[in-house]
């Protein structure tokens, strides 16, 4: 990344500057903006274009060190030193410019014009006035009143172009261009939150991330792991900006940084109004208005981090205490303000009542503040504090740490109900987070033996979760039913139970019922636990896909993905990226689907909750196999190992992936045997959705009346209209009947399932050709060719060789066919067109093949006139 970065998001500003250059109306243009915003990069682009347009394009850079040296900057424009006076300097520079320019117009770019020494400023003014030189200058926004800019204004109007920060979309585009490949959404959001559209900050952050290893490429996707780290150069840039502040401004910035977002009345009490106004005018702090009052925050997160880092321990303690006191004095006892006060006093290491700490921690946890909840809970040295700390750690996915605190809380708590729910949460964490099902079962067994029966319903969430994700559908359904009758008091346990019923419905063959639950607001998306929220959202998408509502599924998947990115959960982003890829696949966009699946795989590792990791890997393998990406399938196989129970959902998807792999490698009989066994086991276990998927694939790999009959039975036991179409397709394939195949192709197309539309079209064409209807078969071949292009060359092995549609008729062929269709014989046609009879015969034979007809009679009835 040592080469200049590409110009992104500045097209409008560049066009404006070039138009000004061409028009010559204004001699001076000023580009302003905050440090690192891209002023010099834009000037570089203008300079290069000016050279291409015939200008003598020159550049100088002013610096503080040269400000005390007369002519120190503009002397760079000539090869020899200039005279000692402004008059002599002007004469010398003007002469040399004329000689170098050779009648070309001259453009001088001055970076950081505010640092020009007085002599150079005067000299530049003379050059513009006397020699017709044009100037493009850059300066920080707060320097527009500097003497050098004022001198340029004396010559006439100065056109000012203010550069704003790049948008989030433009920043993402620049990141991809600088890294040379895609980044996952969580990485894009992490970097965006740190740099906020500042290109120079972005460049240094990416450079630092690569040097430290925080930014690395996994599965072809750039991923950032951990907290963004500062690069030394980036720290210097920030220090340079903050170094220009006075002591009162530094302290004011520290108040805002430690309190952000700080209520406006607090800032007004602690910071002199004129100081706050100066910081706002310099773009260092900003005021946002909420529903009830204003909040003040540092304008850029890197400046806030630098301000906090520059505050000594004693001053930090004083600032936090003063913030808390001021908020208590000015706040109308709002609950959010009480949370702020407790948090500030806690961070200042001041005395806070345990009850207040626990209440504030719980409020933070339920308001998406698990890290704050953790910090507050660590101050409470009691069993309730240990339990609260364990809950906060579970919500963050830090399973190992959470287990120790939950174990200690369970051993020490007095309330049997609290102990039961603590044991349940610990078991969920052991099972889901740490993949220790034996330990989870032992925790539940010990709790059931030690606690009174009246509180055993507090264990139900863990019992249900373990049964459901172990593939024990009947046991899981019973536990989920009882859980609905006895919901837990602990909101976090309630969140763990949120995806259980939708999961059971989706995979037991009732995806339409599951989708209706979401549409009817019967399912609550967890707020405090991002991973459980994403799992519940993913089930909504899966329910929509499996019930035939692909359009809504696609829209929901994309919205949920952005929500997971916003919440910062790698597990959640991976799961929703998988769902977006799933929708892309069904729509026929296999290449796009694989990109999303690779992002999902790049985000999962050994720390990912095992059901999510299992689903991401196994479903990725399933779709990779369908796209013919055998290497991806092998990589997933090596990575999966035995990481999930034999009859769980991930195991089922891996079975489907293996079958697809056998198909892709030509082992259709092996695939058919595996699918038959998988379908039988799934039906026995009550996992009808997997049975439908297996039989759907089996009916295409090896069409038969028995496979069609089995699929019809499964579909009739489910509530999915899509499964009904699967059964119709199986019957049509078994009977090689073109009419229903054509109808199904149209239906799949209307529903948006493009890959299935392609398959049904291929099958319909083959059936028509076997019945001698070559014209219709050729039309299907042409349609299949177009669909294959939309589906990134998708063509399953069971569809046989890729059949190319005949090329369209040439002009001469069409002319001859039109005459033949009227009844003229070859001799008459040859005479009329002045051709040989042999030429007419050859043209007709080629036309018969293209049109799929065999005689003049068929030509007369089918030739499109």
């Amino acid at each position: 990344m040592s080469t200049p970065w590409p110009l992104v998001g500045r097209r409008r500003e560049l066009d404006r500057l070039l138009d000004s250059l061409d028009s010559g109306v204004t001699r001076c243009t000023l580009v302003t903006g905050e440090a690192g915003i891209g002023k010099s990069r834009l000037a570089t682009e203008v300079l290069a274009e000016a050279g291409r347009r015939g200008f003598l394009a020159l550049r100088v850079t002013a610096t503080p060190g040269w400000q005390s040296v007369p002519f120190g900057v503009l002397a760079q424009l000539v090869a020899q030193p200039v005279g000692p006076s402004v008059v002599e300097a002007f004469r010398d520079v003007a002469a040399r410019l004329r000689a170098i320019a050779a009648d070309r117009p001259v453009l001088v770019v001055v970076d950081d014009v505010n640092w020009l020494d007085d002599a150079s400023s005067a000299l530049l003014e003379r050059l513009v006035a006397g020699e017709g030189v044009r100037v493009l200058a850059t300066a920080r926004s707060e320097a527009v009143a500097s003497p050098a800019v004022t001198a340029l204004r004396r010559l006439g109007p100065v056109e000012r172009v203010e550069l704003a920060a790049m948008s989030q979309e433009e920043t993402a585009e620049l990141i991809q261009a600088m890294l040379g490949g895609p980044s996952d959404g969580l990485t894009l959001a992490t970097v965006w939150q740190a740099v906020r559209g500042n290109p120079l900050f972005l460049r240094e952050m990416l450079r630092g991330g690569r040097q430290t290893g925080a930014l690395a490429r996994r599965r072809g996707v750039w991923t950032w792991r951990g907290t963004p780290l500062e690069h030394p150069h980036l720290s210097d840039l920030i220090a340079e900006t903050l170094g220009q502040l006075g002591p009162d401004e530094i302290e004011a910035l520290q108040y805002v940084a430690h309190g952000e977002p700080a209520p406006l009345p607090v800032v007004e009490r602690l910071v002199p109004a004129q100081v706050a106004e100066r910081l706002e005018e310099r773009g260092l702090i900003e005021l946002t208005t909420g529903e009830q009052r204003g909040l003040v925050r540092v304008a850029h997160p890197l400046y806030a981090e630098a301000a906090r880092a520059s505050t000594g321990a004693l001053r930090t303690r004083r600032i936090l205490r003063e913030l808390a006191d001021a908020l208590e004095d000015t706040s109308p006892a709002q609950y959010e303000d009480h949370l702020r006060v407790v948090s500030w006093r806690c961070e200042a290491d001041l005395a806070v009542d345990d009850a207040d700490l626990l209440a504030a921690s719980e409020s933070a946890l339920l308001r998406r503040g698990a890290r704050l909840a953790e910090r507050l809970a660590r101050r409470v040295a009691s069993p309730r504090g240990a339990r609260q700390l364990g809950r906060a750690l579970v919500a963050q996915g830090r399973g190992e740490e959470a287990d120790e605190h939950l174990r200690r809380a369970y051993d020490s708590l007095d309330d049997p109900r609290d102990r039961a729910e603590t044991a349940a949460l610990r078991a969920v964490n052991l099972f889901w987070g740490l993949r220790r099902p034996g330990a989870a079962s032992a925790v539940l067994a010990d709790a059931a033996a030690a606690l009174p029966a009246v509180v055993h319903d507090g264990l139900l969430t863990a019992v249900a979760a373990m049964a459901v994700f172990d593939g024990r559908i009947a046991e899981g359904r019973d536990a989920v039913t009882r859980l609905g009758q006895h919901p837990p008091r602990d909101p976090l346990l309630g969140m763990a139970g949120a995806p259980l019923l939708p999961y059971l419905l989706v995979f037991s063959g009732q995806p339409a019922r599951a989708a209706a639950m979401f549409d009817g607001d019967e399912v609550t998306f967890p707020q405090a636990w991002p991973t459980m929220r994403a799992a519940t959202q993913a089930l909504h998408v899966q329910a929509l896909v499996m019930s035939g509502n692909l359009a809504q599924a696609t829209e929901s998947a994309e919205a949920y993905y952005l929500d997971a990115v916003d919440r910062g959960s790698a597990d959640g982003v991976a799961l929703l990226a998988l769902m977006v890829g799933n929708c892309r696949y069904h729509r026929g966009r296999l290449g796009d689907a694989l990109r999303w699946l690779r992002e999902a795989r790049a985000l999962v590792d050994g720390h990912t909750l095992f059901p999510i990791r299992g689903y991401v890997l196994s479903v990725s393998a399933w779709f990779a196999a369908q796209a013919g990406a055998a290497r991806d399938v092998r990589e997933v196989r090596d990575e999966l190992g035995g990481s999930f129970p034999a009859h769980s959902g991930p195991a089922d998807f891996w079975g489907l992936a293996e079958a697809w792999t056998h198909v892709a490698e030509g082992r259709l009989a092996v695939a058919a045997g595996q699918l038959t066994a998988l379908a039988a086991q799934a039906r026995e276990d009550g996992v009808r959705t997997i049975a439908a998927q297996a039989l759907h694939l089996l009916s295409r790999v090896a069409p038969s009346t028995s496979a069609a009959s089995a699929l019809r039975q499964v579909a009739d036991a489910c509530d999915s209209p899509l499964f009904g179409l699967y059964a119709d397709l199986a019957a049509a394939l078994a009977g090689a009947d073109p009419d229903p195949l054509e109808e199904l192709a149209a239906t799949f197309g209307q529903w948006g399932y493009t890959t299935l539309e392609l398959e049904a079209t291929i099958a319909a064409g083959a059936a028509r050709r076997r019945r001698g209807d070559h014209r219709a078969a050729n039309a299907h071949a042409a349609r299949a060719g177009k669909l294959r292009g939309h589906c990134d060359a998708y063509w399953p092995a069971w569809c046989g060789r890729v059949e190319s549609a005949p090329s369209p008729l040439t002009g001469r062929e069409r002319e001859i066919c039109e005459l033949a269709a009227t009844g003229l014989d070859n001799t008459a046609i040859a005479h009329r067109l002045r051709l040989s009879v042999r030429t007419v015969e050859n043209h007709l034979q080629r036309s018969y093949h293209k049109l799929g007809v065999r005689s003049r009679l068929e030509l007369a009835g089918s030739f499109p006139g």
Side-chain angles (χ1 to χ4, degrees), residues 816 819-820 822-831 837 840 844 856:
I816 290 173
L819 293 174
T822 64
L824 291 179
D825 61 19
N826 292 352
T827 302
I829 294 173
H831 177 74
V837 175
V840 172
L844 277 175
R856 266 181 163 73

Side-chain angles (χ1 to χ4, degrees), residues 7-27:
L7 192 69
V8 172
R10 302 300 191 200
R11 187 72 249 178
R12 182 174 59 84
E13 291 85 352
L14 178 60
D15 288 343
R16 181 178 167 188
L17 291 174
L18 294 177
D19 289 345
S20 177
L21 195 66
D22 287 336
S23 68
V25 175
T26 56
R27 294 183 180 181

Side-chain angles (χ1 to χ4, degrees), residues 538-554:
L539 284 166
H540 185 201
V541 176
Q542 188 72 357
L544 292 167
V545 170
M546 290 292 95
S547 57
N549 195 341
L550 188 56
Q552 187 182 347
T554 302

Side-chain angles (χ1 to χ4, degrees), residues 400-414:
E400 290 287 356
E401 296 176 74
D403 183 63
E404 174 58 28
H405 294 288
L406 292 174
R407 182 197 60 76
R408 185 159 54 88
Y410 172 79
D411 291 341
S412 306
L413 286 166
D414 296 326

Side-chain angles (χ1 to χ4, degrees), residues 216-281:
R217 203 173 205 161
R218 302 181 75 244
R219 313 292 182 194
V221 178
W222 287 98
T223 299
W224 193 295
R225 294 295 175 89
T227 303
L229 302 175
E230 289 188 346
H231 189 277
H233 187 200
L234 181 57
S235 300
D236 293 342
L237 291 171
I238 297 169
E240 180 184 340
T241 298
L242 299 186
Q244 300 175 34
L245 302 179
D248 55 345
E249 293 171 324
I250 288 289
E251 184 167 42
L253 192 64
Q254 289 170 341
Y255 273 116
V256 177
H258 283 286
E260 68 174 354
L264 180 58
V266 172
V267 175
E268 289 175 331
R269 169 167 291 205
L270 298 175
V271 177
Q274 64 274 21
V275 176
E277 290 164 5
R278 287 202 304 270
L279 291 176
E280 183 182 32
E281 289 164 0

Side-chain angles (χ1 to χ4, degrees), residues 253-263 267 284-286 295-305 307-308 320 323 340 344 347:
L253 192 64
Q254 289 170 341
Y255 273 116
V256 177
H258 283 286
E260 68 174 354
V267 175
L284 291 174
I285 65 173
E286 59 187 11
L295 296 173
V296 182
R297 65 177 71 244
V298 181
H300 198 288
L302 291 178
Y303 291 142
E305 185 177 336
R308 288 189 291 267
L320 290 169
L323 284 167
R340 281 193 177 94
W344 289 337
E347 290 182 44

Side-chain angles (χ1 to χ4, degrees), residues 342 346 354 356-362 364-365 370-393 405 408:
V342 172
C346 179
D354 281 358
D356 283 341
L357 284 169
L358 288 172
S361 176
E362 183 68 5
L365 180 61
R371 291 183 181 177
L372 175 57
E374 174 196 346
R375 292 200 303 272
L376 296 173
R378 287 189 184 278
R379 294 288 304 275
V380 182
S382 70
R384 289 176 59 80
R387 180 180 185 231
Q388 183 66 15
L389 178 55
R391 295 170 70 240
L393 292 169
H405 294 288
R408 185 159 54 88

Side-chain angles (χ1 to χ4, degrees), residues 626-684:
Q626 295 177 61
R631 186 181 68 177
D632 285 356
V633 178
R634 288 192 296 269
E635 288 179 355
V636 171
R637 179 185 60 207
D638 294 341
E639 192 173 347
L640 271 172
S643 61
F644 42 74
H647 298 300
S648 65
D652 293 334
F653 281 112
W654 176 244
L656 291 169
E658 282 190 314
W660 265 100
T661 303
H662 290 315
V663 169
E665 295 174 352
R667 297 189 295 273
L668 300 187
V670 175
Q674 186 171 352
L675 290 167
T676 300
L678 178 60
Q681 185 64 57
R683 294 179 73 177
E684 181 181 337

